Amino acid sequence: MPSHMGVQTFATERNSQVEFFVHYILDKFFTQLCSDGYIVDFTISSQKHYISEIASDVWDHYVSTNQLSTGRPLQLWCQTTCYKGNGTGKPEPNKTYEVRETLVEGISIRQLSHLDSGTDIRTVHFTVGDSNYTYQWFLGMKAASFDKSIYIGKRGYDIFGILNNLLAGAFTEDDKYIALDNSVDLSEDVGIFIKYALGELTNWFVTDKMKKSSIADLQWQLVNDELASNSANWPNISLLNGTDIKGRANRLLFEENYVEPDQLIHKTTALLLAKKPFLSSAIEAVANWTSICDQLQLLADQSFDLNNFILSLWNVKPPLHLITRRILLRIHTDNSIAYVQDLDIGGISEHNLYAGEHSDSQSENICFQILTNLSRANINTVDELMDAFTKKGKAIINRARWFEAKNGTQLKPSFEYVELALQSAGFDVVSPKTVSFRAVGYHNEIVSDNVNPYTNLKVVCDKNHNIIAIIKAKFFRVQEFPRRCKEEAFVGLSLKYSFNNGQFVPRLKVPLIMFIDMAGDCDPPLHALKRLICFGWNIVFSIDDLISQLNDQVESYASCSK
Amino acid sequence: MPLVASDIKALAIELFPRLSPIISFKSEITRSTWESSLETGKAVEFVSLCALAESANRLGLTVKVPLLFTDNPDLFYLRNIIHRHHGAQPGHEGATFNIPLQDRFKAALTPRIIIELPDTFYGVYREGFPIHLIQNRYLGRPEYLDRPDIIIIEGAIYVSDGVENELDFSYFSTFGNCNGTLRIKNDITIPIKSYKTDLSKILTVGIIECSVSKGRERAEDQLNRYLKTFASNPAPATLLVNGISKNCIAYDYNAIISLKNGDISKIKHELMSKMDMFIVKLLKISTDVQEYD
């Protein structure tokens, strides 16, 4: 069954090789420091767990050593981010989440220096790949959140393919070391990158005396202050109950006999279906599959060859195109398909692939790729494709419907519900633009590159049009809780403060509130919740709590203005 | 009345009392064997292991349980597979049951039971033998997924802590030796730091497959896959322990243990009588091998 998850396996193989590559660089670096007399001995480990009150993060590499000059121990914590690039030449949108997590990890670990003043703690970030495929603001923010940033790669160069050629043939790590040593000795491309990275690290260590990032320390200070002011008020996890708006909405949509007494859930699902026409098309198509096949057979009969048939299926009259396009992209394989943006066609993204109107050349391009895939699967005629549609199409649509109901960037039942509930309670929920609130994080002020405003935030106003809160509502699955909290942590901190003349200053006059929707039996990890709070969010788990906080805000606003 | 896992647990202790502290140990991982439905197959696997140990005992062979498991009973319940990271898992997760990675690696390499013979050892492993996989990969052969529930391999393996985050291992057998170092790491490939080998082959002397409900055809296909991956000349002794009455003649022996009708003494008799025959054949294989040398 074609899915999107298999791509993760390729990514992990690549990441594993890069992890080893960075390990090699660190090993060479510290070995040299040893022989030059800067340090005594060292150990390198991978996947080092950093655990604190607000963090439970895995760091790609960790080096522990002792400095000869000062006698002080040194800990070097390192993270690596890979950019594989793609044919469109644009940054990967999904990467935003990983980027935010990395920055939050970099800020959170700075607590170590405060807890252990007898040890020198430093952080290093490695970017491997083509740094042009990252949002450019990330490059500046990395430098502002880690003590040292190192870039390994260059524009248009497939470093991962080259690394794979070098390392895949080697069985043991010892063999891999020999391969990389050879690459250095022969001044091959990878060897040159290694020398460059070693040069950067040496410069930073020796010449710059392991200079710390002052902005990173300032960011930590913000978090530390929040930690201090909230430490008496942590939520009591045993008293928390998830509202499970997302779960209940899904059940109402897909389970025949599910009874939902809350009318707002019904209103939410109605909104969902309106926003995601594929869901209702899919439900209908699966129920009337024979009749769909009859319609498609008519198209088949009118097609003079396979290419023509594919094109007419692709451009069939809406809403049937939502069905046919999904099937066309999956029908050739039972294995995972590449991520949508890997179609490498300009102007085509996951947002418009299935629903959008495409230009002639875009349609032709897509259909050509489909034709190629079909021929590899021995589907070469109109009849063969029609046969495949009839036999496999229904199952494909069923699974796509399941997958897209649970994932996908446009469906936000939790937020829809919260908005409806607040409106019922007499509040106005509007977009930031409406009240001229520019929802851009402080990284816009730190870097010179373009930073897009955050989406998925809303502003709550009272009946007198006073802004009383900024809110976000989302569903947190228990398995992803820590990661989601990390991503949102960066949003929180960067919204709550602004950066001016080298200092961070509070920016918001109203609270930033995160409505956490989760399953009824979900037990969120406390450190993740604490991180959210320490990075600037007020968190609530129920509509009642949310409304109560908002009412407190209204009252304090009213008493201030008296 | 159908049997439940606790009935099989009691039988396991009766057959090989030396494993009693490990069988009776209470933890999340032991509960997943002894307090789950028999359908998981774990309890049947465990009791088969006990039956094998007892058969060896009865023949006067020295049977040992590695100290690793006396100190840490949970490890006995793990498979002899080096823990690996898989794609589609966010970040580096996979520490189920909260067992430290170092211990998982040790458990992966260590046999659950050791049977001593005059001039060699047999290691009894659960669902894999990492040295075999490492040797296979060293020879450029692909990874395999099919692994018998219980596999008995000639040779002795020693595992010791290396420098930090490393584990050293050595394997000695009639057909050569190997040694190496593993890095204790959650990785997608086997995190092997170094490896030296002069093994001409790894001798599998016995395969036991345990099932609660396997049909004949499926059992035969599966056995063929096992033999293709693990077996060399001569072929190992094979035993199928099946919870339903379906004989698979591809196996040398079939122990049909009817879990539905609840007669534990019949099960004990059937299991032990077939295991006794199995182990006799297994020992005969090894003797023949010595003569080839």
Side-chain angles (χ1 to χ4, degrees):
Chain A
M1 168 58 212
S3 76
H4 293 289
M5 296 315 261
V7 137
Q8 304 276 8
T9 315
F10 309 128
T12 316
E13 181 86 56
R14 176 181 69 227
N15 289 346
S16 169
Q17 287 173 344
V18 169
E19 207 174 274
F20 182 80
F21 178 58
V22 171
H23 177 107
Y24 172 89
I25 290 172
L26 289 168
D27 195 359
K28 291 291 170 186
F29 172 58
F30 281 91
T31 303
Q32 191 60 47
L33 288 184
C34 245
S35 12
D36 293 345
Y38 288 105
I39 58 170
V40 184
D41 217 358
F42 65 92
T43 48
I44 307 180
S45 22
S46 321
Q47 298 149 30
K48 178 81 173 172
H49 228 132
Y50 169 66
I51 297 182
S52 74
E53 205 180 346
I54 62 165
S56 176
D57 301 329
V58 177
W59 283 70
D60 293 322
H61 298 93
Y62 167 79
V63 187
S64 154
T65 184
N66 283 293
Q67 301 165 85
L68 264 176
S69 55
T70 57
R72 285 167 65 87
L74 166 66
Q75 291 180 9
L76 195 74
W77 296 76
C78 308
Q79 288 290 39
T80 302
T81 306
C82 294
Y83 285 92
K84 78 167 177 62
N86 55 69
T88 66
K90 297 214 169 77
E92 299 167 42
N94 275 345
K95 224 41 181 186
T96 312
Y97 303 111
E98 192 186 330
V99 153
R100 290 182 195 166
E101 280 178 57
T102 304
L103 295 175
V104 166
E105 285 163 359
I107 297 167
S108 303
I109 202 168
R110 299 192 89 76
Q111 185 177 23
L112 260 187
S113 299
H114 294 250
L115 296 174
D116 180 2
S117 55
T119 303
D120 286 329
I121 318 274
R122 296 291 188 276
T123 56
V124 176
H125 186 276
F126 293 89
T127 309
V128 181
D130 187 343
S131 63
N132 280 288
Y133 285 106
T134 168
Y135 291 105
Q136 295 301 295
W137 63 260
F138 177 51
L139 304 180
M141 271 316 284
K142 273 205 312 156
S145 310
F146 288 80
D147 296 310
K148 180 66 185 165
S149 283
I150 300 199
Y151 305 93
I152 303 178
K154 59 187 180 198
R155 185 87 169 99
Y157 184 79
D158 179 18
I159 189 174
F160 304 108
I162 303 295
L163 259 182
N164 185 55
N165 291 342
L166 263 182
L167 298 179
F171 178 53
T172 63
E173 288 186 3
D174 288 352
D175 295 335
K176 290 176 189 175
Y177 259 54
I178 292 171
L180 291 172
D181 283 343
N182 279 343
S183 183
V184 174
D185 293 339
L186 297 172
S187 290
E188 289 170 353
D189 284 341
V190 168
I192 295 174
F193 286 132
I194 291 170
K195 281 201 192 139
Y196 165 77
L198 290 173
E200 285 283 295
L201 282 167
T202 308
N203 247 350
W204 170 71
F205 187 92
V206 176
T207 315
D208 296 341
K209 301 205 185 333
M210 292 195 301
K211 182 160 178 273
K212 294 179 82 178
S213 163
S214 52
I215 302 187
D217 280 334
L218 286 176
Q219 288 182 92
W220 166 250
Q221 208 43 59
L222 300 177
V223 177
N224 200 28
D225 293 343
E226 298 273 355
L227 181 60
S229 59
N230 280 293
S231 57
N233 297 325
W234 300 126
N236 185 342
I237 296 208
S238 54
L239 297 178
L240 294 178
N241 277 317
T243 320
D244 199 15
I245 295 159
K246 185 164 181 173
R248 287 151 65 195
N250 275 327
R251 295 182 70 191
L252 186 60
L253 274 175
F254 299 118
E255 266 179 49
E256 270 189 47
N257 300 318
Y258 178 67
V259 174
E260 174 56 63
D262 184 348
Q263 280 313 303
L264 281 181
I265 296 278
H266 288 264
K267 282 194 183 164
T268 305
T269 53
L271 278 173
L272 284 189
L273 285 174
K275 284 194 179 174
K276 189 84 174 171
F278 168 64
L279 283 188
S280 39
S281 295
I283 293 169
E284 221 190 282
V286 162
N288 299 298
W289 189 244
T290 322
S291 136
I292 297 278
C293 289
D294 289 342
Q295 290 181 54
L296 299 182
Q297 184 65 57
L298 285 175
L299 274 182
D301 295 340
Q302 291 159 15
S303 301
F304 55 84
D305 67 10
L306 183 58
N307 189 51
N308 183 235
F309 186 34
I310 294 171
L311 257 171
S312 52
L313 283 171
W314 188 263
N315 290 318
V316 78
K317 193 168 159 220
L320 194 49
H321 70 318
L322 300 174
I323 306 292
T324 54
R325 290 182 182 184
R326 280 169 172 80
I327 299 176
L328 281 171
L329 286 174
R330 288 166 172 77
I331 198 144
H332 61 282
T333 177
D334 287 328
N335 298 318
S336 39
I337 58 168
Y339 275 124
V340 159
Q341 54 259 41
D342 287 356
L343 282 184
D344 285 350
I345 298 173
I348 303 289
S349 73
E350 63 180 303
H351 302 293
N352 64 15
L353 175 68
Y354 297 125
E357 260 189 58
H358 303 132
S359 69
D360 284 347
S361 95
Q362 282 171 334
S363 300
E364 274 169 29
N365 226 323
I366 295 169
C367 291
F368 178 71
Q369 290 196 24
I370 294 170
L371 190 70
T372 315
N373 288 331
L374 288 179
S375 98
R376 283 194 203 123
N378 284 326
I379 299 175
N380 294 306
T381 67
V382 171
D383 285 343
E384 281 166 358
L385 180 56
M386 192 60 224
D387 189 50
F389 254 74
T390 314
K391 290 192 176 128
K392 295 183 4 175
K394 186 172 164 186
I396 290 175
I397 290 302
N398 237 345
R399 289 200 183 97
R401 179 193 80 175
W402 176 88
F403 182 81
E404 292 181 42
K406 290 187 186 303
N407 300 285
T409 51
Q410 275 111 30
L411 277 187
K412 294 173 178 46
S414 314
F415 216 159
E416 303 280 11
Y417 182 97
V418 166
E419 271 189 73
L420 289 170
L422 292 182
Q423 280 157 6
S424 294
F427 297 100
D428 268 339
V429 182
V430 298
S431 73
K433 259 195 213 157
T434 316
V435 293
S436 304
F437 171 65
R438 211 164 160 250
V440 180
Y442 61 49
H443 42 306
N444 188 47
E445 289 138 7
I446 295 175
V447 304
S448 53
D449 306 282
N450 180 49
V451 174
N452 291 329
Y454 291 122
T455 55
N456 304 327
L457 284 170
K458 296 267 167 130
V459 177
V460 183
C461 299
D462 65 13
K463 44 183 183 284
N464 298 320
H465 308 297
N466 300 310
I467 298 176
I468 53 170
I470 316 269
I471 61 161
K472 187 163 184 172
K474 64 191 284 179
F475 185 81
F476 290 65
R477 286 201 310 147
V478 69
Q479 305 93 315
E480 292 164 355
F481 225 106
R483 292 190 71 193
R484 291 290 96 85
C485 289
K486 252 192 271 196
E487 290 156 17
E488 298 300 335
F490 184 71
V491 174
L493 198 70
S494 62
L495 270 179
K496 194 162 176 180
Y497 297 90
S498 55
F499 188 69
N500 234 329
N501 288 327
Q503 292 294 323
F504 285 100
V505 292
R507 176 192 175 188
L508 299 177
K509 296 186 178 56
V510 297
L512 200 50
I513 305 179
M514 173 74 74
F515 179 94
I516 295 180
D517 185 21
M518 61 185 194
D521 59 357
C522 178
D523 268 330
L526 185 58
H527 72 83
L529 297 180
K530 285 185 180 180
R531 177 128 65 181
L532 263 186
I533 294 170
C534 291
F535 274 70
W537 292 93
N538 288 15
I539 61 176
V540 293
F541 295 84
S542 72
I543 294 293
D544 289 344
D545 279 345
L546 174 59
I547 291 179
S548 155
Q549 272 205 28
L550 292 172
N551 283 333
D552 288 345
Q553 235 353 73
V554 172
E555 276 175 30
S556 81
Y557 196 91
S559 61
C560 278
S561 49
K562 276 188 187 141
Chain B
M1 234 181 67
L3 293 172
V4 291
S6 53
D7 299 317
I8 304 299
K9 181 180 181 181
L11 177 61
I13 293 175
E14 189 192 327
L15 288 177
F16 197 62
R18 235 186 305 154
L19 279 179
S20 172
I22 290 172
I23 296 169
S24 314
F25 187 72
K26 288 261 189 244
S27 73
E28 201 189 332
I29 196 173
T30 66
R31 273 194 290 274
S32 79
T33 294
W34 301 122
E35 288 172 31
S36 299
S37 142
L38 279 176
E39 296 297 315
T40 67
K42 292 180 189 177
V44 172
E45 250 181 63
F46 208 113
V47 78
S48 302
L49 203 68
C50 294
L52 175 65
E54 172 55 9
S55 273
N57 230 7
R58 286 190 200 182
L59 286 174
L61 297 168
T62 306
V63 177
K64 291 195 167 150
V65 179
L67 269 175
L68 177 71
F69 306 114
T70 325
D71 298 338
N72 196 341
D74 275 343
L75 299 183
F76 197 96
Y77 291 76
L78 300 178
R79 299 176 294 172
N80 284 98
I81 298 176
I82 292 173
H83 187 85
R84 307 267 280 278
H85 180 56
H86 295 286
Q89 271 184 355
H92 285 285
E93 296 182 23
T96 48
F97 297 120
N98 293 320
I99 296 180
L101 210 51
Q102 177 110 5
D103 291 341
R104 288 179 167 274
F105 272 54
K106 282 187 191 167
L109 290 167
T110 308
R112 297 299 174 262
I113 305 272
I114 299 169
I115 301 173
E116 286 184 21
L117 295 181
D119 43 15
T120 189
F121 297 89
Y122 290 154
V124 181
Y125 302 87
R126 296 184 71 170
E127 292 195 57
F129 179 50
I131 303 291
H132 184 275
L133 183 62
I134 290 170
Q135 177 71 6
N136 245 38
R137 298 296 290 135
Y138 170 79
L139 294 172
R141 293 181 194 145
E143 295 251 5
Y144 50 82
L145 292 174
D146 285 301
R147 285 177 283 252
D149 291 327
I150 298 173
I151 188 164
I152 303 122
I153 304 236
E154 189 257 345
I157 187 165
Y158 300 94
V159 181
S160 59
D161 291 314
V163 302
E164 196 171 328
N165 293 324
E166 289 178 11
L167 202 63
D168 298 327
F169 63 88
S170 326
Y171 166 68
F172 302 95
S173 80
T174 307
F175 300 94
N177 310 317
C178 72
N179 62 70
T181 302
L182 285 165
R183 188 178 296 283
I184 313 286
K185 186 180 169 181
N186 196 4
D187 204 349
I188 194 170
T189 52
I190 309 168
I192 182 125
K193 181 162 184 272
S194 62
Y195 186 62
K196 285 199 183 69
T197 175
D198 62 18
L199 289 169
S200 57
K201 72 175 173 205
I202 293 176
L203 183 65
T204 304
V205 293
I207 285 175
I208 302 176
E209 183 67 8
C210 306
S211 167
V212 286
S213 58
K214 206 163 288 192
R216 184 195 61 77
E217 231 178 80
R218 222 181 110 213
E220 186 169 339
D221 284 341
Q222 195 179 45
L223 178 62
N224 287 334
R225 292 197 298 273
Y226 293 157
L227 293 175
K228 202 169 162 207
T229 306
F230 289 96
S232 44
N233 199 10
T238 57
L239 166 67
L240 175 65
V241 178
N242 207 347
I244 57 170
S245 321
K246 293 245 155 101
N247 269 319
C248 177
I249 56 169
Y251 278 83
D252 294 324
Y253 305 102
N254 284 257
I256 308 295
I257 54 169
S258 176
L259 298 169
K260 287 214 165 90
N261 77 14
D263 191 334
I264 203 82
S265 62
K266 268 201 184 141
I267 287 176
K268 177 182 173 184
H269 174 80
E270 168 72 359
L271 188 56
M272 287 313 303
S273 63
K274 298 294 166 65
M275 195 64 76
D276 287 344
M277 292 193 266
F278 167 76
I279 204 170
V280 162
K281 177 158 190 180
L282 182 157
L283 290 170
K284 194 167 183 304
I285 286 172
S286 69
T287 316
D288 290 347
V289 159
Q290 310 296 5
E291 283 171 9
Y292 288 161
D293 279 349

